[in-house]
Amino acid sequence: MTLRPLGTRLRATAALALLPLFALTACGSGDTGAAAVGAQGSPAPTDDPVAAVSEVDSVAALLPPDVRKAGTLKIGSSIGFPPGAYYPNGTDKAPAGQDIDLADAVAKVLGLKLERQDASFETILPALGSGKYDVGTGNFGVTTERLKTIDFVTYINDGQGFAVKDDNDGIKKVTDLTQLCGLTIGTGAGTTFEATLTAQKDVCAKAGKKPYDVKVYSENAATLTALQQGRIDVIMSTINGLRYQAAQPASHTRFLGEYHRLDVGFAFKKGSPLTKAFRAAVDRLIEDGTYRRILAKWGTTASAIDASRINPPEHT
């Protein structure tokens, strides 16, 4: 075994100790474990654009009468890392993030209270069908496959991207998956990223190149740890999450740019009677400026949409 110089080993050890602070958000990958706990290292912005939001009767009237009478909705939330959703003050305190603010603002427009339950990303969509949750959030990208069983109300345009260690000069940008041939890619379980990589796994053979290998992780912190330890070469995750991560010096990652944009939305069971009210609530927030203020708070204005849509087709 070849030992690295002591200084290098100490720097690597220090970097690994910071890894939980810089786990990824997910359009696919949520985590209520190490990543969520570690996110305490990122304080939340202090402004509160949701505070001024109030009920809008004409929008609330679109809710089913029984829901309006009950006054509450059960929401399954994947709490991972900023800018989407995380714990700035520990898991015993309230979560924060773009998804949290948008969901809370929509609920206020509708005159509802949210009963939020943390859940791992891959469990939320199946749980909608069983009635465990009325709505789900977790940076869920709208895909053709998901539209078969899930209804979406869009609130942002995010998507897929790649990142490498900041000392990796071999990859500048990924515009085609053949650029990843021969490499090992880490991504989250049950995500659009895993689906994309699996569906395109034969591109390298067609190009006469060595195939890429995919390693799937159930926790975001584990993916970043694998990158820093050299067990994977590239991370595939959300554009906003990877961009945020790369801006944190201790993560030692470099964002490779956007690969594929996706609409992201609130998720519901197929045929949910809640979608029209949620769309109208998002549109109200866009019209009155609250939406832009929330995105500005979390640094995601480049992902803004002009109007919410119900079940738009997947971007091609």
Side-chain angles (χ1 to χ4, degrees), residues 31-56:
D31 162 30
T32 57
V37 175
Q40 297 175 48
S42 298
T46 56
D47 52 319
D48 185 8
V50 181
V53 178
S54 58
E55 182 175 354
V56 179

Side-chain angles (χ1 to χ4, degrees), residues 19-20 23-24 31 34-35 216-229 231-232 235:
L19 287 179
L24 308 179
D31 162 30
V216 177
Y217 299 89
S218 60
E219 293 183 356
N220 296 317
T223 311
L224 183 55
T225 301
L227 180 72
Q228 299 293 9
Q229 291 181 340
R231 289 183 281 115
I232 60 176
I235 290 176

Side-chain angles (χ1 to χ4, degrees), residues 213-294:
D213 185 30
V214 179
K215 292 189 181 298
V216 177
Y217 299 89
S218 60
E219 293 183 356
N220 296 317
T223 311
L224 183 55
T225 301
L227 180 72
Q228 299 293 9
Q229 291 181 340
R231 289 183 281 115
I232 60 176
D233 303 297
V234 183
I235 290 176
M236 187 178 188
S237 190
T238 67
I239 293 168
N240 287 336
L242 291 174
R243 182 178 282 122
Y244 182 96
Q245 174 190 271
Q248 316 304 314
S251 74
H252 295 291
T253 62
R254 178 165 53 85
F255 180 53
L256 296 179
E258 300 178 8
Y259 174 71
H260 179 53
R261 279 276 176 176
L262 284 172
D263 287 314
V264 171
F266 295 104
F268 306 84
K269 69 178 181 180
K270 204 68 182 174
S272 172
L274 299 173
T275 55
K276 290 183 179 179
F278 265 71
R279 179 180 62 181
V282 174
D283 284 343
R284 172 70 181 198
L285 295 171
I286 292 172
E287 291 164 7
D288 70 15
T290 302
Y291 175 78
R292 282 280 179 175
R293 289 192 289 274
I294 291 173

Side-chain angles (χ1 to χ4, degrees), residues 2-315:
T2 301
L3 293 177
R4 290 175 290 170
L6 178 59
T8 301
R9 282 183 279 141
L10 288 176
R11 285 194 298 273
T13 300
L16 289 175
L18 289 167
L19 287 179
L21 299 178
F22 304 101
L24 308 179
T25 185
C27 178
S29 182
D31 162 30
T32 57
V37 175
Q40 297 175 48
S42 298
T46 56
D47 52 319
D48 185 8
V50 181
V53 178
S54 58
E55 182 175 354
V56 179
D57 288 340
S58 60
V59 179
L62 298 173
L63 289 168
D66 59 330
V67 173
R68 197 170 187 189
K69 181 178 180 180
T72 60
L73 284 180
K74 297 173 291 183
I75 182 169
S77 295
S78 175
I79 311 296
F81 194 74
Y86 74 118
Y87 289 105
N89 302 303
T91 55
D92 60 334
K93 300 294 192 302
Q98 165 199 277
D99 287 1
I100 303 299
D101 280 353
L102 286 171
D104 288 348
V106 164
K108 290 185 74 172
V109 170
L110 295 173
L112 300 174
K113 292 186 180 299
L114 296 179
E115 296 178 354
R116 181 174 280 110
Q117 182 176 332
D118 298 356
S120 60
F121 176 87
E122 64 270 22
T123 66
I124 293 176
L125 297 186
L128 292 171
S130 70
K132 183 176 182 179
Y133 310 123
D134 300 304
V135 57
T137 58
N139 211 45
F140 291 108
V142 180
T143 68
T144 301
E145 187 62 28
R146 285 177 176 167
L147 285 170
K148 295 176 182 177
T149 57
I150 298 294
D151 281 340
F152 288 96
V153 172
T154 62
Y155 60 82
I156 202 166
N157 181 262
D158 195 346
Q160 303 173 333
F162 295 92
V164 294
K165 289 178 66 175
D166 57 5
D167 60 358
N168 184 337
D169 296 324
I171 308 175
K172 302 299 183 183
K173 190 172 183 178
V174 177
T175 57
D176 189 287
L177 293 184
T178 56
Q179 294 169 271
L180 301 174
C181 295
L183 301 178
T184 300
I185 308 159
T187 196
T191 64
T192 61
F193 322 115
E194 181 186 12
T196 295
L197 293 169
T198 299
Q200 300 294 323
K201 62 184 178 181
D202 61 345
V203 296
C204 294
K206 290 180 179 178
K209 298 182 178 182
K210 182 179 178 181
Y212 55 69
D213 185 30
V214 179
K215 292 189 181 298
V216 177
Y217 299 89
S218 60
E219 293 183 356
N220 296 317
T223 311
L224 183 55
T225 301
L227 180 72
Q228 299 293 9
Q229 291 181 340
R231 289 183 281 115
I232 60 176
D233 303 297
V234 183
I235 290 176
M236 187 178 188
S237 190
T238 67
I239 293 168
N240 287 336
L242 291 174
R243 182 178 282 122
Y244 182 96
Q245 174 190 271
Q248 316 304 314
S251 74
H252 295 291
T253 62
R254 178 165 53 85
F255 180 53
L256 296 179
E258 300 178 8
Y259 174 71
H260 179 53
R261 279 276 176 176
L262 284 172
D263 287 314
V264 171
F266 295 104
F268 306 84
K269 69 178 181 180
K270 204 68 182 174
S272 172
L274 299 173
T275 55
K276 290 183 179 179
F278 265 71
R279 179 180 62 181
V282 174
D283 284 343
R284 172 70 181 198
L285 295 171
I286 292 172
E287 291 164 7
D288 70 15
T290 302
Y291 175 78
R292 282 280 179 175
R293 289 192 289 274
I294 291 173
L295 268 56
K297 173 182 176 180
W298 296 105
T300 56
T301 52
S303 290
I305 59 174
D306 295 328
S308 179
R309 299 173 67 190
I310 297 174
N311 297 337
E314 179 180 354
H315 287 296

